[in-house]
Amino acid sequence: MQLEGKDSFRAKIYRITGMVPDELRLYRLALRHSSTVKVKQMGAHESYERLEFLGDAVLGMIVGEQLYKLYPIKGEGFLTEMRSKIVNRGSLSDISRKMGIPDLIEYDQKSMGHSIARTMGGDALEALIGAIYLDRGYFKTRRFVLDKILSRNFSLRDLETLEVNYKSRIMEYARRQKWDELEFVTFEEGNEGRGKVYKVEVRNGLIVLGVASDPKKKIAEQKAAEVALALLNQTTAVAK
């Protein structure tokens, strides 16, 4: 299939993915933010949000499969932590910038400002993975994730010793902002016969900044703190 010139949208997708897209509309959709959708009732269908949902699931499965094979004697806790280090919002946003994905995102600059594209990169990367999955299938998508994301951006040996303490980060953020009411509120969920799950909310006063659940309380706290930090980073970018 022809690339229609080096500056065409198809050629740009090829440079990022290493594959010539068949269903080009999927890739355009993967790079379209909801701010550009004129008919708001159809926003979920006309922006990258649904593809982001799919891509997040596919990426998690591929990374989980790879870690399962690479660490045959490690337990569920180790594998979960390693996966979270790879697929967290900060990592995906950094990889997206390296690929040049934010430059291709279609969004309403008048209402959102130029700097907001930085916060969209991780979401758009997941949406792009969803587009590849629908267009080229699982094995092509798996090759893209392994070659373009994992092997080029991560050293698993370094990740094993990397300590990512999102709880400490948001507490430090609160200290710098002179917040006095930051707290982690924990709820226990689950009925008899089902595993207990901890639901954690990160609150600043009455404002809920992040929510997450996990069978392990410490992991739920870390996940909730990560969500809260992502929200704060996005809010800061919008305000600039």
Side-chain angles (χ1 to χ4, degrees):
M1 183 178 294
Q2 296 296 321
L3 293 180
E4 305 161 3
K6 65 178 182 180
D7 294 325
S8 70
F9 182 75
R10 192 185 299 274
K12 292 174 181 177
I13 294 299
Y14 173 76
R15 285 196 291 270
I16 291 173
T17 66
M19 293 175 278
V20 179
D22 290 331
E23 294 289 337
L24 198 60
R25 62 176 181 81
L26 289 171
Y27 299 85
R28 293 191 186 280
L29 187 61
L31 296 168
R32 182 182 303 142
H33 187 260
S34 59
S35 62
T36 65
V37 179
K38 296 181 180 179
V39 182
K40 295 300 182 182
Q41 292 85 346
M42 296 296 292
H45 299 283
E46 298 298 328
S47 70
Y48 61 52
E49 293 174 353
R50 282 166 53 85
L51 282 174
E52 178 193 353
F53 166 80
L54 176 62
D56 174 66
V58 174
L59 175 62
M61 179 172 63
I62 293 171
V63 172
E65 176 192 1
Q66 188 71 359
L67 292 173
Y68 183 86
K69 292 178 178 178
L70 289 175
Y71 297 100
I73 63 173
K74 293 291 186 179
E76 178 265 347
F78 173 87
L79 298 176
T80 298
E81 184 176 356
M82 285 289 286
R83 182 175 59 188
S84 69
K85 291 177 182 179
I86 293 172
V87 302
N88 71 76
R89 186 59 52 208
S91 295
L92 295 182
S93 294
D94 289 341
I95 295 169
S96 175
R97 283 193 290 272
K98 292 177 184 178
M99 291 181 168
I101 290 175
D103 296 333
L104 300 180
I105 298 175
E106 179 187 353
Y107 66 100
D108 187 347
Q109 296 182 1
K110 291 183 179 180
S111 65
M112 307 194 69
H114 292 278
S115 62
I116 189 63
R118 294 179 302 169
T119 68
M120 301 177 194
D123 298 340
L125 175 55
E126 288 182 332
L128 185 63
I129 291 170
I132 296 171
Y133 175 76
L134 292 178
D135 184 38
R136 304 304 298 270
Y138 174 76
F139 292 105
K140 291 284 187 180
T141 309
R142 182 176 182 273
R143 180 49 52 197
F144 169 75
V145 170
L146 296 182
D147 290 350
K148 303 290 186 178
I149 296 179
L150 289 184
S151 65
R152 292 191 181 187
N153 297 281
F154 297 101
S155 165
L156 294 182
R157 185 180 297 275
D158 291 341
L159 282 181
E160 289 176 21
T161 58
L162 176 65
E163 292 292 336
V164 183
N165 194 329
Y166 295 105
K167 185 176 181 180
S168 294
R169 286 185 183 182
I170 196 167
M171 293 175 69
E172 173 61 20
Y173 180 92
R175 186 190 66 78
R176 293 197 307 268
Q177 298 297 320
K178 298 182 179 180
W179 290 352
D180 296 324
E181 299 182 299
L182 184 76
E183 60 179 342
F184 288 73
V185 181
T186 304
F187 307 91
E188 292 186 14
E189 298 181 340
N191 302 320
E192 186 175 351
R194 296 174 53 192
K196 181 185 295 184
V197 173
Y198 294 96
K199 177 183 176 182
V200 175
E201 293 182 354
V202 181
R203 297 178 182 174
N204 181 37
L206 298 177
I207 301 174
V208 178
L209 300 172
V211 181
S213 299
D214 195 89
K216 296 183 179 179
K217 182 179 177 181
K218 289 185 177 180
I219 294 179
E221 290 177 340
Q222 291 290 339
K223 288 180 177 179
E226 182 184 1
V227 172
L229 284 170
L231 173 65
L232 292 170
N233 288 336
Q234 181 172 344
T235 302
T236 301
V238 171
K240 290 182 179 178

